[in-house]
Amino acid sequence: MTDTTPAPPKDHGRAGRDLRAAFASAFVLVGAILLSLLFWKTAFMVIVAIAVVVAIWELHRGFGVKGIDLPEQPLMLGGVVMVVVAYFWGAPALVTATAVAALMTMLWLLRRGIEGYVQNATASVFSLIYVPFLGSFVALLLAEGGGVNASGLDDPGVQGIITFVAITVASDTGGYVAGVLFGKHPMAPVISPKKSWEGFAGSFVFCLVAGWALVVYLLDGDWWVGLLLGLVTVVMATLGDLCESVIKRDLGIKDMSQVIPGHGGLMDRLDSLLATIAPIWLILHYLVF
């Protein structure tokens, strides 16, 4: 007789995930980002556009658990247009594209009739702001210095993206390491039981060091701007992670999907990045570039 009992889930210990798969996935993603930035920075916009599409798909999948039906087609198309116009034509074009995308999505939903319109329209506009609008600040940062054919570490946009990714990763890494090694006091046990104050302290230290080093040695900026960048990043990254945890708990799901081995869904990795990119762009645009 064949045993059909499902195998118990693997216990990854305090790490909470398959570290081998997580490191392999991270290596591939970081490699793709660096290659695009070093050889032709506009190619990085393809990665951003793909991320927007996948993130909208994940939100559609997650919201569907609660009976919320996001219109994927207008959100995906509008999201890609938003990041593209932000890169080529700047912030004013982004604002206009966001307004048009929101209106077009609401008009698209009219085809479904009255039932559930307010719920689906509200969730759609939320998704539009949460993913492509915030993600478009990546395009604004990459566009610093101009030159769509530019590339390499001498380009201000490339330097900005490296700084943005590195300091946000420093926050996540510091929080993860300190949380696993020393975490005893939960920060928000109802929302995210594994997030601890010790982990936040680790994020704080890593972010301040990373911000100072990146701004001084990569961007040739003032040291106090680096410390400000680190402080803002650790606060926003933590809030972004907590907001994503609240969304998943409200939806009753653990991960948005399993598209990234060892990490879960793309949105599970974008939570901190989406929360930090706008203030990072603001600081770098006005205080460094």
Side-chain angles (χ1 to χ4, degrees):
M1 183 176 178
T2 303
D3 184 8
T4 59
T5 304
K10 291 184 179 181
D11 181 11
H12 298 299
R14 296 190 69 180
R17 51 175 149 161
D18 186 343
L19 290 180
R20 181 177 298 179
F23 280 123
S25 300
F27 179 79
V28 172
L29 291 173
V30 172
I33 291 171
L34 289 177
L35 284 175
S36 64
L37 292 175
L38 293 178
F39 290 99
W40 184 37
K41 74 175 187 177
T42 302
F44 181 65
M45 292 307 303
V46 176
I47 298 177
V48 175
I50 293 173
V52 166
V53 170
V54 174
I56 293 296
W57 170 78
E58 287 186 343
L59 288 177
H60 174 267
R61 181 175 178 270
F63 285 1
V65 175
K66 289 289 188 178
I68 303 172
D69 188 10
L70 292 180
E72 289 180 290
Q73 296 89 341
L75 287 176
M76 289 178 177
L77 177 60
V80 171
V81 170
M82 286 164 62
V83 298
V84 170
V85 300
Y87 179 65
F88 287 104
W89 294 289
L94 170 59
V95 173
T96 302
T98 303
V100 172
L103 290 172
M104 292 302 296
T105 302
M106 293 169 69
L107 290 173
W108 181 283
L109 286 170
L110 288 176
R111 306 180 347 173
R112 299 180 181 177
I114 298 173
E115 185 67 26
Y117 179 83
V118 173
Q119 172 182 267
N120 293 331
T122 303
S124 297
V125 175
F126 165 80
S127 300
L128 201 67
I129 298 298
Y130 188 30
V131 178
F133 180 74
L134 292 179
S136 293
F137 282 86
V138 175
L140 294 177
L141 184 57
L142 184 64
E144 292 288 347
V148 297
N149 293 318
S151 62
L153 289 178
D154 293 332
D155 182 79
V158 173
Q159 294 174 347
I161 293 297
I162 291 175
T163 299
F164 153 61
V165 173
I167 196 170
T168 306
V169 169
S171 175
D172 289 344
T173 303
Y176 177 74
V177 171
V180 168
L181 296 178
F182 310 110
K184 293 182 179 180
H185 300 88
M187 176 181 288
V190 176
I191 298 174
S192 183
K194 292 184 178 181
K195 184 169 289 295
S196 64
W197 285 107
E198 290 82 1
F200 179 76
S203 295
F204 182 81
V205 173
F206 272 52
C207 269
L208 287 186
V209 173
W212 168 78
L214 288 164
V215 170
V216 171
Y217 294 106
L218 178 61
L219 304 181
D220 196 27
D222 296 325
W223 63 269
W224 63 269
V225 176
L227 296 183
L228 174 64
L229 188 69
L231 178 61
V232 170
T233 298
V234 69
V235 172
M236 296 306 297
T238 302
L239 290 176
D241 186 56
L242 289 175
C243 287
E244 177 73 6
S245 295
V246 168
I247 291 173
K248 290 190 291 187
R249 285 195 171 273
D250 186 29
L251 296 175
I253 57 178
K254 183 179 184 296
D255 294 313
M256 283 296 186
S257 72
Q258 295 296 327
V259 296
I260 308 178
H263 291 274
L266 182 63
M267 284 298 299
D268 300 308
R269 296 281 66 94
L270 290 182
D271 50 7
S272 298
L273 293 167
L274 288 173
T276 59
I277 178 56
I280 286 177
W281 171 80
L282 189 69
I283 291 172
L284 295 184
H285 181 74
Y286 288 103
L287 298 180
V288 175
F289 300 133

